[in-house]
Amino acid sequence: MSPVSTRMGRAKNFLAAHLAQNVLGYVSKNPEANFPRLLNLVKILAIQERHKNQIETVASYYRENPAIREYVHRLARNLHPNVRNRLLYNWFMNAMIFGIPRQRSLSAELGVNIPNFILVDPTSACNLACEGCWAGKYSPRKLSPERLDRLFNEAKELGIYWIVFSGGEPLVYPHLFDLMTRHRDMAFMAYTNGTLIDEKMADKIIEVGNFSPAISLEGWRERTDARRGPGTFDRVMRAMDLLRERGAAFGVSITITRENVMEVTSDEFIDFLIEKGVLYGWTFHYIPIGRNPNINLMVTPEQRAYLAERIPYIRTHKPIMIADFWNDGELVEGCIAGGRRYFHINAAGEVEPCAFVHFAVDNINEKSLLEVLRSPLFAAYQKRQPFHDNLLRPCPIIDVPRALREIVKESGAHPTHEGAETVLQGIIAAHLDERSREWGRVADRIWAERQQLKKARELS
């Protein structure tokens, strides 16, 4: 691209940024009238045709679905202007509308896949010791603020404007807010236990504007405290109240187990989350990795089938966005890990394909972002994606475990902590093989039914 074209592109993005942010303010005053106008503006600014089509789909949902309209109105009316103009704008415009086309262009130019976001652990330190924590076996480490600052600059050069923090507990990392302030044009989210969010921190979250905490819950008080420690549920409720009162955008992170699947997806619990101010939720099926892995906590095939119907129902009938990290494979065209749409950097700097696949070849402390994206581990991942034609079977850990064994062997990846290899061999691996076969039979039936329904709709 010529220097003149580059300057013109930057000028267009600058003007679009200010125009879109002004419109966001108008939307908050009268969302019924102005949200459709915002969508029309974004559709004009969108570079990719598929983004224009997606925006039209959103507009259709807004017109036709009362739950979607109520959700949009919650965003418009309840968020603090700092949050609305920084977090929402950075995520929607910088990360998606402008960022993804740049990622695609550079992927073709550089011959390497550029993901949409990065999951990074600033520290492995945590103020809790939750039973079964997926990260509970990592050695005590932390990344330097200098390396994180450089990582974020490298990311933006590649069109990546979305960073997700994990851990450990990200909020114990002393440089977190300084880094987010330095990178005001990025959107940040953190998986957090929420217990450190007091009045002072809630104020800082509003002040920085471009940060959203996703707070972990296991269900109601008894179940949350049983896994996370006495008093945790009440501390989380206090944190949510502080965030809601100030106009923060926050969500929940829920590990779904065989024991809590009905509790956390009940109307009562979902309505309670909405009342507390929760805007979105990430749900993760329990994976036997980390501290004291327990195969008996994995959801059954029947429960997973229930979730495949229940979570989409919640999304279309409640004013909250809930994602099912495994069953939503159909929406994202299979597994998103291994550098395809995201990857994980642990607190030691080791570059892993996924938060639950604890194997690595490279270390971000020793290489640039672009260099680690060329990892043989990622190459082995991406050439096998999607791992199954049935996109309800997207995961190389629990759905196609043979693929993960092949990837680790082919790339020469090493375990990043003691016990990580148990998903490849031994009792846990044998259980994953059997569970994948059991789910396969159920998933294939559901997939066939969905494809028949899809064809019927196309013909009608």
Side-chain angles (χ1 to χ4, degrees):
M1 183 179 292
S2 71
V4 173
S5 297
T6 300
R7 287 195 297 270
M8 290 179 64
R10 288 175 178 170
K12 177 182 177 182
N13 288 353
F14 177 81
L15 292 172
H18 285 272
L19 183 58
Q21 286 181 332
N22 286 334
V23 173
L24 282 173
Y26 286 116
V27 169
S28 67
K29 297 175 183 177
N30 186 357
E32 292 88 346
N34 293 331
F35 181 69
R37 295 172 184 168
L38 172 62
L39 291 180
N40 286 335
L41 171 63
V42 174
K43 187 175 179 181
I44 294 170
L45 297 175
I47 299 170
Q48 294 190 331
E49 190 62 32
R50 71 187 189 93
H51 281 158
K52 295 180 184 292
N53 294 335
Q54 288 168 353
I55 292 163
E56 183 55 44
T57 299
V58 171
S60 175
Y61 285 155
Y62 179 77
R63 290 192 301 267
E64 299 169 7
N65 189 307
I68 300 298
R69 281 200 300 277
E70 185 178 349
Y71 181 72
V72 170
H73 298 170
R74 289 182 68 203
L75 290 172
R77 290 171 173 153
N78 298 339
L79 295 184
H80 190 280
N82 273 4
V83 177
R84 186 176 63 235
N85 292 333
R86 292 178 186 168
L87 179 69
L88 289 192
Y89 176 81
N90 290 346
W91 184 83
F92 190 60
M93 297 299 294
N94 285 348
M96 299 298 161
I97 299 301
F98 297 144
I100 290 179
R102 179 164 176 77
Q103 293 160 18
R104 300 291 171 86
S105 175
L106 287 173
S107 293
E109 177 183 333
L110 300 172
V112 61
N113 192 73
I114 309 297
N116 303 140
F117 70 99
I118 302 171
L119 175 67
V120 58
D121 304 346
T123 178
S124 60
C126 187
N127 61 320
L128 299 181
C130 303
E131 180 62 27
C133 174
W134 65 270
K137 294 291 284 185
Y138 284 129
S139 299
R141 298 288 180 85
K142 63 180 177 180
L143 292 166
S144 72
E146 293 79 15
R147 184 60 189 101
L148 287 172
D149 182 51
R150 190 164 79 253
L151 173 67
F152 300 160
N153 282 323
E154 290 175 308
K156 287 187 284 188
E157 289 175 2
L158 297 176
I160 303 170
Y161 285 83
W162 184 16
I163 301 294
V164 180
F165 296 121
S166 187
E169 169 50 56
L171 295 183
V172 307
Y173 188 71
H175 311 287
L176 196 71
F177 283 89
D178 290 339
L179 285 164
M180 294 189 295
T181 299
R182 186 186 297 269
H183 297 275
R184 289 189 181 276
D185 54 348
M186 302 187 84
F188 295 93
M189 193 195 86
Y191 294 113
T192 171
N193 60 49
T195 60
L196 299 177
I197 299 176
D198 55 13
E199 288 85 349
K200 183 177 180 181
M201 184 169 288
D203 288 340
K204 289 172 67 175
I205 289 171
I206 295 300
E207 181 181 357
V208 73
N210 59 345
F211 173 58
S212 176
I215 303 174
S216 298
L217 280 175
E218 312 303 320
W220 297 111
R221 179 181 289 104
E222 181 179 358
R223 202 173 298 278
T224 296
D225 287 0
R227 187 181 185 207
R228 299 183 172 272
T232 300
F233 182 84
D234 289 339
R235 293 165 72 183
V236 166
M237 294 302 104
R238 175 59 177 156
M240 288 184 173
D241 289 341
L242 293 171
L243 293 170
R244 184 189 68 251
E245 291 163 3
R246 286 160 173 77
F250 65 96
V252 292
S253 173
I254 300 172
T255 298
I256 299 184
T257 71
R258 185 178 306 187
E259 298 173 349
N260 73 351
V261 60
M262 301 305 292
E263 181 172 321
V264 297
T265 59
S266 67
D267 283 336
E268 183 183 12
F269 189 72
I270 297 299
D271 290 343
F272 173 76
L273 295 179
I274 295 167
E275 182 182 346
K276 296 299 287 187
V278 172
L279 292 173
Y280 62 89
W282 294 97
T283 64
F284 301 90
H285 304 185
Y286 174 80
I287 301 295
I289 189 74
R291 180 185 294 126
N292 302 326
N294 183 354
I295 57 177
N296 293 320
L297 287 178
M298 294 183 69
V299 297
T300 67
E302 293 74 21
Q303 288 174 327
R304 188 168 171 183
Y306 161 78
L307 291 169
E309 298 296 328
R310 177 60 179 168
I311 298 298
Y313 177 88
I314 292 171
R315 283 197 292 257
T316 55
H317 290 76
K318 303 282 187 181
I320 187 171
M321 290 295 108
I322 303 288
D324 185 331
F325 201 75
W326 281 271
N327 284 342
D328 280 342
E330 186 175 4
L331 295 179
V332 294
E333 300 175 330
C335 172
I336 65 172
R340 175 177 170 255
R341 294 290 176 263
Y342 98 103
F343 66 95
H344 179 227
I345 302 172
N346 68 28
E350 293 172 303
V351 180
E352 302 171 337
C354 171
F356 304 101
V357 177
H358 297 176
F359 295 87
V361 171
D362 297 312
N363 192 300
I364 199 68
N365 290 317
E366 301 166 358
K367 296 185 177 183
S368 69
L369 173 57
L370 186 57
E371 287 175 320
V372 303
L373 290 177
R374 300 186 189 278
S375 163
L377 179 56
F378 290 178
Y381 238 79
Q382 290 168 24
K383 77 179 186 181
R384 292 173 169 84
Q385 289 170 318
F387 292 103
H388 202 284
D389 292 338
N390 181 343
L391 297 181
L392 291 172
R393 304 170 67 179
C395 179
I397 314 171
I398 61 174
D399 296 326
V400 193
R402 168 187 48 80
L404 184 57
R405 297 185 187 109
E406 293 174 354
I407 289 167
V408 171
K409 182 179 180 180
E410 178 180 313
S411 64
H414 62 268
T416 53
H417 63 74
E418 181 184 359
E421 69 283 353
T422 59
V423 298
L424 303 180
Q425 58 191 16
I427 295 174
I428 290 178
H431 182 82
L432 293 175
D433 285 335
E434 178 58 28
R435 179 53 54 85
S436 70
R437 288 189 289 268
E438 293 173 350
W439 169 242
R441 289 189 287 270
V442 176
D444 286 348
R445 173 182 55 78
I446 298 173
W447 184 253
E449 292 171 353
R450 288 188 177 184
Q451 296 311 300
Q452 290 176 358
L453 182 60
K454 183 178 180 181
K455 289 180 180 178
R457 288 173 176 169
E458 291 174 349
L459 293 173
S460 63

